[in-house]
Coordinates of all heavy atoms in Angstrom, one line a residue:
V1164 N -3.8 8.7 -59.9 CA -2.7 8.4 -58.9 C -2.0 9.6 -58.4 O -1.8 9.8 -57.2 CB -1.6 7.5 -59.6 CG1 -0.3 7.4 -58.8 CG2 -2.2 6.1 -59.9
V1165 N -1.8 10.6 -59.4 CA -1.2 11.9 -59.0 C -2.1 12.6 -58.0 O -1.6 13.1 -56.9 CB -1.0 12.8 -60.2 CG1 -0.6 14.2 -59.8 CG2 0.1 12.2 -61.1
V1166 N -3.4 12.6 -58.2 CA -4.3 13.3 -57.3 C -4.3 12.6 -55.9 O -4.2 13.3 -54.9 CB -5.8 13.2 -57.9 CG1 -6.8 13.7 -56.8 CG2 -5.9 14.1 -59.1
V1167 N -4.3 11.3 -55.9 CA -4.3 10.6 -54.6 C -3.0 10.9 -53.9 O -3.0 11.2 -52.7 CB -4.4 9.0 -54.8 CG1 -4.1 8.3 -53.6 CG2 -5.8 8.7 -55.3
L1168 N -1.8 10.8 -54.6 CA -0.6 11.2 -54.0 C -0.5 12.6 -53.4 O -0.1 12.8 -52.3 CB 0.6 11.0 -55.0 CG 1.1 9.6 -55.2 CD1 2.2 9.6 -56.3 CD2 1.8 9.1 -53.9
L1169 N -1.1 13.5 -54.2 CA -1.1 14.9 -53.8 C -1.9 15.0 -52.5 O -1.5 15.7 -51.6 CB -1.7 15.8 -54.9 CG -0.7 16.3 -55.9 CD1 -1.5 17.1 -57.1 CD2 0.3 17.3 -55.3
L1170 N -3.1 14.3 -52.5 CA -3.9 14.4 -51.3 C -3.2 13.9 -50.1 O -3.2 14.4 -49.0 CB -5.2 13.5 -51.5 CG -6.3 14.2 -52.3 CD1 -7.4 13.3 -52.6 CD2 -6.8 15.5 -51.6
I1171 N -2.4 12.8 -50.3 CA -1.7 12.2 -49.2 C -0.6 13.2 -48.7 O -0.5 13.4 -47.5 CB -1.0 10.9 -49.6 CG1 -2.1 9.8 -49.8 CG2 0.0 10.4 -48.5 CD1 -1.5 8.5 -50.4
I1172 N 0.1 13.8 -49.6 CA 1.1 14.8 -49.3 C 0.5 16.0 -48.5 O 1.0 16.4 -47.4 CB 1.9 15.3 -50.5 CG1 2.7 14.2 -51.1 CG2 2.7 16.5 -50.2 CD1 3.2 14.4 -52.5
V1173 N -0.7 16.5 -49.0 CA -1.3 17.6 -48.3 C -1.7 17.2 -46.9 O -1.5 17.9 -45.9 CB -2.6 18.0 -49.1 CG1 -3.5 18.9 -48.3 CG2 -2.2 18.7 -50.4
G1174 N -2.2 15.9 -46.8 CA -2.6 15.4 -45.5 C -1.5 15.3 -44.5 O -1.6 15.8 -43.4
V1175 N -0.3 14.8 -45.0 CA 0.8 14.7 -44.1 C 1.3 16.1 -43.7 O 1.6 16.4 -42.5 CB 2.0 14.0 -44.9 CG1 3.3 14.1 -44.1 CG2 1.6 12.5 -45.0
V1176 N 1.4 17.0 -44.7 CA 1.8 18.4 -44.4 C 0.9 19.0 -43.3 O 1.3 19.6 -42.4 CB 1.9 19.2 -45.7 CG1 2.2 20.7 -45.3 CG2 3.1 18.7 -46.5
A1177 N -0.4 18.8 -43.6 CA -1.4 19.4 -42.7 C -1.2 18.9 -41.2 O -1.2 19.6 -40.3 CB -2.8 19.1 -43.1
T1178 N -0.9 17.6 -41.2 CA -0.7 16.9 -39.9 C 0.5 17.5 -39.2 O 0.5 17.8 -38.0 CB -0.6 15.4 -40.0 OG1 -1.7 14.9 -40.8 CG2 -0.5 14.7 -38.7
I1179 N 1.6 17.7 -40.0 CA 2.8 18.2 -39.4 C 2.6 19.6 -38.9 O 2.9 20.0 -37.8 CB 4.0 18.2 -40.4 CG1 4.4 16.7 -40.7 CG2 5.2 19.0 -40.0 CD1 5.3 16.5 -41.9
V1180 N 1.9 20.4 -39.7 CA 1.6 21.8 -39.3 C 0.8 21.8 -38.0 O 1.0 22.6 -37.1 CB 0.9 22.6 -40.4 CG1 0.3 23.9 -39.9 CG2 1.8 22.8 -41.6
H1181 N -0.2 20.9 -38.0 CA -1.2 20.9 -36.9 C -0.5 20.5 -35.6 O -0.7 21.1 -34.5 CB -2.3 19.9 -37.2 CG -3.4 20.0 -36.3 ND1 -4.3 21.1 -36.2 CD2 -3.8 19.1 -35.3 CE1 -5.2 20.9 -35.3 NE2 -4.9 19.7 -34.7
W1182 N 0.3 19.4 -35.7 CA 0.9 18.8 -34.4 C 2.3 19.2 -34.2 O 2.8 19.1 -33.1 CB 0.8 17.3 -34.5 CG -0.5 16.7 -34.5 CD1 -1.1 15.9 -35.4 CD2 -1.5 16.8 -33.4 NE1 -2.3 15.5 -35.0 CE2 -2.6 16.1 -33.8 CE3 -1.5 17.5 -32.2 CZ2 -3.8 15.9 -33.0 CZ3 -2.7 17.4 -31.4 CH2 -3.8 16.6 -31.9
G1183 N 3.0 19.6 -35.3 CA 4.4 19.7 -35.2 C 5.0 20.8 -34.2 O 5.7 20.4 -33.3
G1184 N 4.6 22.0 -34.4 CA 5.1 23.0 -33.6 C 4.5 23.1 -32.2 O 3.3 22.8 -32.1
H1185 N 5.3 23.5 -31.2 CA 4.7 23.6 -29.9 C 3.6 24.6 -29.8 O 2.7 24.4 -29.1 CB 5.8 24.0 -28.9 CG 6.8 22.9 -28.6 ND1 7.8 23.0 -27.8 CD2 6.9 21.6 -29.1 CE1 8.5 21.9 -27.7 NE2 7.9 21.0 -28.6
K1186 N 3.7 25.6 -30.7 CA 2.6 26.6 -30.6 C 1.3 26.0 -30.9 O 0.3 26.5 -30.4 CB 3.0 27.7 -31.7 CG 3.9 28.7 -31.2 CD 4.1 29.8 -32.2 CE 5.3 30.6 -31.8 NZ 6.2 30.9 -33.0
N1187 N 1.3 25.0 -31.7 CA 0.0 24.4 -32.1 C -0.5 23.4 -31.1 O -1.7 23.1 -31.0 CB 0.0 23.7 -33.4 CG 0.1 24.8 -34.5 OD1 -0.6 25.8 -34.4 ND2 1.0 24.6 -35.5
V1188 N 0.3 22.7 -30.3 CA -0.1 21.6 -29.5 C -0.1 22.0 -28.0 O -0.7 21.3 -27.2 CB 0.7 20.4 -29.7 CG1 0.6 19.9 -31.1 CG2 2.2 20.6 -29.3
V1189 N 0.6 23.1 -27.6 CA 0.7 23.4 -26.2 C -0.2 24.6 -25.8 O -0.2 25.6 -26.5 CB 2.2 23.8 -25.9 CG1 2.3 24.2 -24.4 CG2 3.1 22.6 -26.2
Y1190 N -0.9 24.4 -24.8 CA -1.8 25.5 -24.3 C -0.9 26.4 -23.4 O -0.3 25.9 -22.5 CB -2.9 24.9 -23.5 CG -3.9 26.0 -23.0 CD1 -4.9 26.4 -23.8 CD2 -3.7 26.6 -21.8 CE1 -5.8 27.4 -23.4 CE2 -4.5 27.7 -21.4 CZ -5.6 28.0 -22.2 OH -6.4 29.0 -21.8

Side-chain angles (χ1 to χ4, degrees):
V1164 169
V1165 170
V1166 168
V1167 169
L1168 275 175
L1169 272 173
L1170 280 174
I1171 290 170
I1172 290 165
V1173 166
V1175 168
V1176 170
T1178 307
I1179 290 169
V1180 168
H1181 190 72
W1182 292 121
H1185 286 184
K1186 273 182 194 139
N1187 286 318
V1188 299
V1189 176
Y1190 184 89

